[in-house]
Every structure is written in C-alpha cells, then in structure tokens.
C-alpha cells in the first residue's frame, strides 16, 4: 500500500506539480503513472524503515506522506526528462532523512502497537548498544614496563 495518493500531491504542491505525470502530452496527468510512482516510492521508503520498524507500520505519519510524494515526483520527472534542481534537492533531502531514521539518529515519532495488557504504546525502536567483552588483556603497559 502506498503512503500517499494523488490527492496528497495536489494538497502539498497543487495540481501544477503533476505536469511530470503527463505521459501523452494532452495536459492531463496519467493516473496509472502516478499510482505506480507512489507505490514504488513507498517500497523505497520501506527499504529504509524495515531496518528499524516492523512493517507494515500501524499508522502513516505525515512525514512519510511528504517523503512518498517527493520521491514519486522525482521519479516521474526523471522518467519524463523534466527533472529540476528542486526535484533533485527534495529527493536527496528525503533519502538523507530516511538514512538517518534507519541509523537511529532520527525517528518517525510513532509508537508501535499498544501493549496487550497495559494498553500503553510501546516507544519506537532505538538502536541497541553494542557490548564487547572478553578475557583480561595479556599485554598491558604495566606488564610490558621494563622490557
């Protein structure tokens, strides 16, 4: 399921933004191309989020709607050869933010499914600390002093 719809594109950027989806040059955006681009953009988003969150997400944050629209418009503009610097910057910013979410330096601010008994939401997944251990060091400065 896509994180955004054609109506979301219009709400965020107006109907003029859909010129990138006019495949036959008649001035009317191709709804199939838009649906396909939004679905592919959602798949790209999931490839980053799947590292940190169980998919599908219980809710769709507004941030993901924005990301889905920006990726889809970038892909549509790229395929129609009308790519602008604005499209590229939005796409690059989106991918950077998604990478930050995957690394754990940014979050979506959504709770996971509510706990069964308490009913309180579980906080979003956080990076797990790395623990390293092992035997005591054989060669230390104190043991090697005087050699």
């Amino acid at each position: 399921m896509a994180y955004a719809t054609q109506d979301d594109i219009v709400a965020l950027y107006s109907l003029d933004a859909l010129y990138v989806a006019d495949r036959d040059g008649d001035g009317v955006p191709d709804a199939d191309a838009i649906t396909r681009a939004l679905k592919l953009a959602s798949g790209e988003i999931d490839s980053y989020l799947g590292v940190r969150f169980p998919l599908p997400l219980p809710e769709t944050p507004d941030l993901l709607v924005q990301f889905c629209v920006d990726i889809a418009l970038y892909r549509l503009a790229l395929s129609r050869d009308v790519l602008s610097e604005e499209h590229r910057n939005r796409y690059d910013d989106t991918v950077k933010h998604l990478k930050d979410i995957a690394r754990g330096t940014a979050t979506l601010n959504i709770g996971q499914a509510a706990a069964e008994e308490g009913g309180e939401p579980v906080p979003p997944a956080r990076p797990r600390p790395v623990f390293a251990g092992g035997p005591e060091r054989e060669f230390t400065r104190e043991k090697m002093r005087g050699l």
Side-chain angles (χ1 to χ4, degrees):
M1 185 177 115
Y3 289 116
T5 64
Q6 183 172 339
D7 292 336
D8 292 323
I9 297 173
V10 172
L12 288 169
Y13 296 120
S14 84
L15 192 58
D16 294 337
L18 292 176
Y19 76 93
V20 297
D22 182 11
R23 295 291 183 237
D24 53 4
D26 64 353
V28 178
D30 183 7
D32 291 337
I34 295 168
T35 302
R36 186 172 43 258
L38 290 169
K39 184 178 177 191
L40 291 172
S42 297
E44 185 174 343
I45 291 169
D46 284 345
S47 72
Y48 290 101
L49 297 182
V51 173
R52 187 134 323 263
F53 299 97
L55 298 174
L57 295 174
E59 60 185 271
T60 301
D62 293 337
L63 185 63
L64 290 187
V65 173
Q66 176 74 49
F67 287 172
C68 187
V69 167
D70 287 342
I71 293 171
L73 289 177
Y74 170 80
R75 297 286 182 206
L76 286 166
L78 189 64
S79 68
R80 190 160 175 254
D81 204 24
V82 292
L83 184 66
S84 70
E85 192 65 29
E86 183 178 351
H87 289 123
R88 180 170 298 287
N89 288 339
R90 286 181 185 167
Y91 176 77
D92 290 341
D93 291 345
T94 296
V95 169
K96 181 183 177 298
H97 198 110
L98 286 169
K99 286 179 181 178
D100 288 343
I101 291 170
R103 274 193 298 268
T105 57
T107 186
L108 290 177
N109 292 328
I110 61 171
Q112 294 177 353
E116 289 292 325
E117 295 174 21
E120 301 210 10
V122 178
R126 300 274 185 217
R128 296 185 201 122
V130 176
F131 294 101
E136 187 176 326
R137 292 181 58 182
E138 288 289 324
F139 300 101
T140 64
R141 289 180 189 229
E142 291 302 317
K143 289 181 181 177
M144 299 298 293
R145 203 159 291 205
L147 294 178

